[in-house]
Amino acid sequence: MDYQDFLKTVQQVAGNPGGQPLGHVACFTLQTLARRISKGEAEDLAPRLPEELRSCIEYAGPPEKFDLDDFLQRLQQHLGVDRRVAEKVVKGTFAALWRAGTKEYTDMRAELPEDFQPLLDEAIGVTS
């Protein structure tokens, strides 16, 4: 999947969140995801991402344990959006990840807590 296709998928779900450039929105979402999943899983996802976004999934520290609410709050604060918009951003980014590689998506999904699962399912649904 190339950069424009990735961003188009995010935009189809999230619109233009907070007036921010979509590349910035997708990158911050991937950076937040990289803090939650293992380094090995992030390394597995990276080759499936467009080259412009690969550095966004790199995180040198140990995985952090946070739930979906914390994930969304980080996006809300950074992007200056409400929870509904943050959910759309995450769903759009997850939809793009699904389109980029279903095996890696399934592996990533296994590392996320139960409260992420409905949003992960919705992301798959919007790509159908």
Side-chain angles (χ1 to χ4, degrees):
M1 170 179 282
D2 71 18
Y3 186 62
Q4 292 306 318
D5 286 341
F6 193 98
L7 296 183
K8 183 178 177 184
T9 301
V10 175
Q11 185 177 34
Q12 286 172 339
V13 178
N16 188 16
Q20 306 256 353
L22 281 175
H24 172 76
V25 169
C27 186
F28 185 77
T29 306
L30 292 169
Q31 288 171 340
T32 307
L33 176 64
R35 292 177 163 282
R36 183 60 183 84
I37 61 177
S38 69
K39 182 177 180 181
E41 187 54 44
E43 289 171 349
D44 289 346
L45 283 170
R48 296 295 190 176
L49 294 172
E51 189 172 335
E52 297 89 339
L53 294 173
R54 288 183 188 155
S55 65
C56 302
I57 198 86
E58 296 172 2
Y59 176 63
E64 298 177 20
K65 298 295 180 192
F66 52 86
D67 61 13
L68 180 61
D69 282 337
D70 290 335
F71 192 99
L72 294 171
Q73 285 176 7
R74 291 174 189 215
L75 264 68
Q76 287 174 254
Q77 290 172 352
H78 183 79
L79 300 175
V81 297
D82 63 22
R83 182 182 174 95
R84 183 185 59 79
V85 172
E87 285 177 355
K88 286 182 178 183
V89 167
V90 173
K91 189 188 311 181
T93 304
F94 285 171
L97 287 171
W98 170 257
R99 288 189 62 219
T102 57
K103 180 196 177 315
E104 290 78 9
Y105 186 90
T106 302
D107 292 347
M108 172 200 74
R109 177 186 192 128
E111 292 194 14
L112 295 172
E114 188 63 34
D115 61 344
F116 277 78
Q117 302 308 314
L119 196 59
L120 290 160
D121 288 337
E122 290 173 25
I124 294 169
V126 298
T127 63
S128 302

